[in-house]
Amino acid sequence: MTDFGDVIFSAKNEVLKSNSIESLEKIKVKYFGKNGLINNEMKKLSSLDAEGKQTIGKQLNLFKREFSELILERKDFLRKKEIENKIKAEFSDPTMPTRQNILNLGRVHPITQTIEEIVAILGSMGLRYVEGPDVEDDFHNFTALNIPENHPAREMHDTFYIGSKEDKKNVLRTHTSPVQIRSLKDSNLPIKIFAPGRTYRCDSDITHTPMFHQVEGLIVDKDLSFSNLKWFITQFCHIFFNKKDLKLRFRPSFFPFTEPSAEVDINCFRKNNKIYLGEGDDWMEILGCGMVHPNVFKACNLENKETSGFAFGVGIERLCMLKYGMPDLRDFFDNDLRWLNHYGFSFFNYPDLNWE
Ligand code: DAH
């Protein structure tokens, strides 16, 4: 047993140098396994005299205890280190600022931004967001809206017909008003909806594009009157344009699906091709509205109920141009990045509306 001290020394050394739990296990087996070095020494004990058995046996047992404790300590240390490393590797700081250029990579299109603003306002005024299809049938786009065949209003709509012009069954919707019909037929009273979306007319010049956007609003309940409509539209415009003193003018007009009908103008001031809203005494038309026509209720089988309602339809491009001072409608659809970078909105620019 002359080299016993060396065995103990190298065993402890190996434990302290080991860098993983697996290697610790191997060291344990090397010394305390069935054929391990310490076991072999134990076996040799029987050949010793009583005194030798006692001293060496004591040393071996003492070492056994120390070695087990050492292994446990090392194991504990290695486990903690493993967890620390994992935390370090997986750590990410959520408070770190985003790289600047990522924020500037894209822009929200002004139409999208304007729709989001409208959604925020009408949603908070208690209206439900609904959608209708872009391809409509003749009934929803015209007939149910009190525009029967051969009615002159059909000619005003420059309709894109789907399929043959003769069968005239399906159209690209010429306005969002057909969503009124879908809601009247599908919902129980009271109905409070708005429907933004694309609309199409076969028309293209400085103030018209073949595709444009509208938002339709419809409120149907008992005992609604024109003053409810007036209050609603005024409230919407004041919030949308963020001008409490914006003046509105309700001018008598004609739409087949409303009676009485009105067009709404807001007051403005024009100078050097620029329009200043809420100033001066010029007027700018912004939307159409009116009380739902009895024939519309009739087409939706609601004529026997004590129903009354009002509706409105707004061109979204027009609202957007007026609010953000854009001079040309056609720019909206040119996909010119310079224009988008200038007029577009940041992704983080949530509609900032003044509700007072
Ligand atoms: N649909 C009409 C258009 O496209 C706009 C409109 C006018 C909608 C009056 C309405 C309304 O709901 O009541 O010109």
Side-chain angles (χ1 to χ4, degrees), residues 157 174-177 180 201 214 216-217 255 257-258 288-290 311-313:
H157 276 217
T174 56
H175 50 175
T176 42
S177 301
Q180 285 189 37
R201 287 187 201 175
Q214 287 189 340
E216 195 77 14
F255 297 102
F257 34 88
T258 42
C289 60
F312 56 92

Side-chain angles (χ1 to χ4, degrees), residues 6 13 22-23 35 56 67 71-73 82 95 121 156 173 189 240 255 297 322-323 350:
D6 291 344
N13 230 0
E22 295 83 64
S23 67
N35 296 314
I56 303 293
F67 187 78
I71 287 212
L72 281 181
E73 266 172 33
E82 207 174 80
T95 63
I121 299 170
M156 283 157 50
R173 64 176 176 188
L189 301 189
F240 180 81
F255 297 102
F297 285 136
L322 284 173
K323 182 164 177 178
Y350 189 75

